[in-house]
Amino acid sequence: MSIPHGRRSSWLPARYLIGLPGKVIAIPYELGNGRVWGRHVGDTTFLRAWLGHPDFHMIK
């Protein structure tokens, strides 16, 4: 995944994607203040690995 130069702080979640199995697609979008953020869509293999990742937290 390519992280745009100068916008790395907006793409910090990308560090969690590197090294996880499965397929994931990043969908970037611009916020109203000119920053870029992104959402991710992954397959079941990726989701299973992410749910087991020590940094995964679900807010109840």
Side-chain angles (χ1 to χ4, degrees):
M1 176 186 316
S2 174
I3 300 173
H5 178 68
R7 297 184 174 185
R8 294 178 194 278
S9 62
S10 297
W11 283 81
L12 285 177
R15 73 175 182 231
Y16 295 114
L17 304 178
I18 297 169
L20 289 176
K23 295 180 184 177
V24 63
I25 298 170
I27 305 168
Y29 59 92
E30 289 199 31
L31 301 173
N33 58 7
R35 292 187 312 157
V36 175
W37 198 248
R39 67 182 53 195
H40 301 91
V41 179
D43 65 7
T44 57
T45 302
F46 168 79
L47 184 57
R48 185 173 288 115
W50 177 235
L51 291 174
H53 193 279
D55 289 325
F56 174 78
H57 299 284
M58 182 174 289
I59 300 171
K60 295 182 182 182

